[in-house]
Amino acid sequence: MPTLATVRLGENDSRYAPGVDPGTVPSPLDLLDLPLTRTALAELTLLAICGGLLGAFVVLRGLAFFAHAVGTATFPAVVVADATGFSATLAGLSAAAAYACGVERAGRSVRDPGDSATGLLLVAALGGGILLASDVFESGAAVDRLLFGTAIGLNGADLALSGAAAALALAATILFGRTWAAVGFDSDAAGALGLPVRRADVLLLGSVALAAVAALPAVGALLVSSLFVVPAAVARLFARDVPALLLGSVAIAACLAVLGLYLSLWLDVPPGPAVAVLGAAAYGMCALLTGLRASTRTPAAGTSW
Amino acid sequence: MDLTDLILDPLRSGIWRRAAAEVVLLGGICGALSFWVTSFRLSYPAESLAHGLLPGLVLAALAGIPLVLGGLGGVALAAGCVALASRDPRIGADSATAVVVTGMFGLGALLALSPDAPPRLEELLFGDPLGITHTDLISALALAVVGAGALAALHRPLCAVAFDAPGAGALGLRPGGVRLALFMLLAVAVAVAVQGLGSLLVLAVLVAPAVAVRRAATNPGVAMLSGAALAAVAGLAGLYASHHLGSAAGASVALALCLAAVAGSVLPWRLRRGEARARRGRRAAA
Amino acid sequence: MTRAPAVEAHGLALGYGGEPALEGVDFEAAPGAALCVLGPNGGGKTTLFRALLGELQPLAGRVRVAGRPAYLAQTERTRLDFPVSALDVALMGSLADGRWWRPPGRSQRHAALAALGRVGLEGQASVRFGELSGGQRQRVLLARALTQDAAVLLLDEPFAGVDPASAERITAVFTELRAEGRTLLVSTHDVESARLFDLVLCLNRRQVAFGTPAQRLGREVLETTYGSDIVVLEGSGDTAVRAITVQHHEH
Ligand SMILES: Nc1ncnc2c1ncn2[C@@H]1O[C@H](COP(=O)(O)OP(=O)(O)O)[C@@H](O)[C@H]1O
Ligand SMILES: [Mg+2]
């Protein structure tokens, strides 16, 4: 009878916030004082920029499921990379690109890439990843970092990738933002106006895939949507036009990221879950404040269930 | 080691026998249910529920109460939040679902990864068929019985609505009510099945069997029965693989199901019980 | 003694939130009558049927139908990838008895097979619905309506996009249904086929005319019903007009 060969997450003693005494409330200045947390702060701010910008279009276009799936799909690849010393970025990028191409090639609308096929792929990615991690490479301790991110294991290369992703997201927003917004509001009308709907979609998918890989080290494979969907969804509650949505979404993403990082140091947990919980709480509060009750009387057209 | 040993060896362990019983029970009912999950395009909602119930599971694990209670509480909360959020017309239903699920899943991870929590998160995420207790087995059995009864009673409305929802409405059925009943059954199934497969992998048993038999089956009854059988067999195969290769049990079961889905949808096979039945009916009419 | 009408509408107005899509509808059809609902695309034929089915609440006025009507929808809204045979689909009609939890009994099976026989598809009973041709699918859906054994049948443009053989078969079934004393409401935008009915109801966002075809299908009514979509070929005044409709655009 072999022992239960699974990984034990969270068992390693090198927790998520060294240099901060566990159990004490860290001063917010610690975020700036410790070199490790300075890196984390810079990383999360850069990710907030690209998550906020691209997230706005993700929400407009209804690509939330894709953003979630593309992060998860990278999991087995980064497990292999992590264990073999191969570049996790390259591995993640190829997995994300393969997934985005697969969705695109499936020839359906990007919003609906075959519901059960996506579900299967997610399960296969997670199952395969965990099997590789626990039984092939026995890289148990790394798995929670890969799934939920880390505030302290970040290095200059991660920072550079996030910087590149943020710059790219900014450039893409300036160049294609108007098209994406038009397609997001009404893809049929945009097609009738002669806008390249399909190419715009492919470009958005590609950017989201790239940015999701950049976000992996900090927020992990499972919680990519905490930066790519949640802040933009909160901003959507207030924003009346696209520029306001973009600005609001970046600002909210930045606030959530910094607060989440602080929370993660304080509670000694990974930053991904912290950002996710803060974001959902912010959404819930704002939705209540802006009158969810008034709007529930007119249910959204086409809600699936 | 010969073949009989390969098959009989794991059966000597009580733990493995319990795992096998759990996998067969869950595979049987969820395999049948999966046909409706794919027919009504409920894979994404099923995934959301499975991820969203994590805090319930973690709290149950921390409090030491049966996980199935935590799962049921978590699934009810997740379904309520998703239903509430997706009624907000300002963001689409799928963005709203993503917000709720991200938040709930994050909360579960937060609770489980906090320094005071016992390190059980991997079990809750990826399942541990080898840690199945008698409570789990009893809840799986109850699910199998109740679920089979519900699926049998709802069979005709489910067929009619999946085939042509407006037409079913004109026949006097309420498509919304039928969908809601299916959704509630799915929620209970998710809450019970996470015991074996964990929050992240439970989707395998709720989608893969139907994908495997979808093209081959010529009618819903055949699809459900063959999905159930296939899920039970693939689940057992996964457990055997895990035993002999020493691999993680939950992930092995999930991957075996995914492999079955790929094989089933690629291989050219066809299940034709409908034909025989129709022929009998024709003869009776003649 | 006059019998209660099988279908009636009085002062009916229907809409989807904005301007009424159809108003001023007033008609009665006695049991056994065959009524043609005539009008251009967007005239409100489907809207009227949805009100008769109870799917759409009237903005004003009222409708009444004797019993639950059987319905053949205009656009096929079925899932072709769903694995059901033609017989399974025909059997769904028996769900209208309200006992949805019971498996279909022997008599319901016979009724479904008989309905398939009437539409000429007894040989295709076990063929998967999605593998049938468009006209055959329309006939299977008609068989589902027949299995329902309703006193009133609503058939929304049943000949649209149907092959000639299927159309002929469907017409024959209509004749049988009338002989059985069932009430038939058939919508169409084809003027010529309307002449074969007992009654005609012309709609163009409001009721233009109601009466027998001989009375009503004159130049003036047709031109009000169809506007510029019609070319009147011969005849004048209210006598035997021949007309063809010109569809600018099919949606
Ligand atoms: N679901 C709907 N929502 C809003 N307007 C509708 C809807 N269905 C039909 N309409 C409008 O109602 C009018 C009548 O449509 P319809 O009854 O489908 O016409 P017909 O069946 O005669 O072609 C049309 O102007 C159409 O645009
Ligand atoms: Mg119509």
Side-chain angles (χ1 to χ4, degrees), chain B residues 35-36 39 153 156-157 159-160 162-164 166 170-173 214 217-220 270 277-278 281-282 284-285, chain C residues 68 77-79 81-84 88-89 91-92 94-96 100-102 104 110 113 122 126 128-129 131 144 148:
Chain B
F35 174 72
W36 298 115
S39 292
R156 297 187 70 199
C159 284
F163 171 67
D164 171 14
L171 287 171
L173 298 170
R214 180 103 213 176
T218 47
N219 78 48
R270 207 149 162 91
R277 201 184 55 181
R282 259 206 309 285
Chain C
R68 175 181 295 290
R77 299 167 293 185
T78 53
R79 291 266 305 272
D81 61 341
F82 191 74
V84 277
D88 293 332
V89 175
L91 258 175
M92 286 176 191
S94 62
L95 279 167
W100 45 262
W101 59 91
R102 296 242 302 242
H110 283 182
L113 276 168
E122 59 277 81
S126 59
R128 202 166 149 152
F129 182 79
E131 288 167 4
R144 180 177 67 175
Q148 199 175 329

Side-chain angles (χ1 to χ4, degrees), chain B residues 32-52:
Chain B
L33 187 57
S34 74
F35 174 72
W36 298 115
V37 171
T38 52
S39 292
F40 282 81
R41 306 175 77 46
L42 286 173
S43 304
Y44 186 33
E47 197 223 13
S48 312
L49 287 183
H51 288 201

Side-chain angles (χ1 to χ4, degrees), chain A residues 150-163:
Chain A
T150 172
I152 55 156
L154 302 170
N155 56 33
D158 297 327
L159 213 55
L161 182 66
S162 306

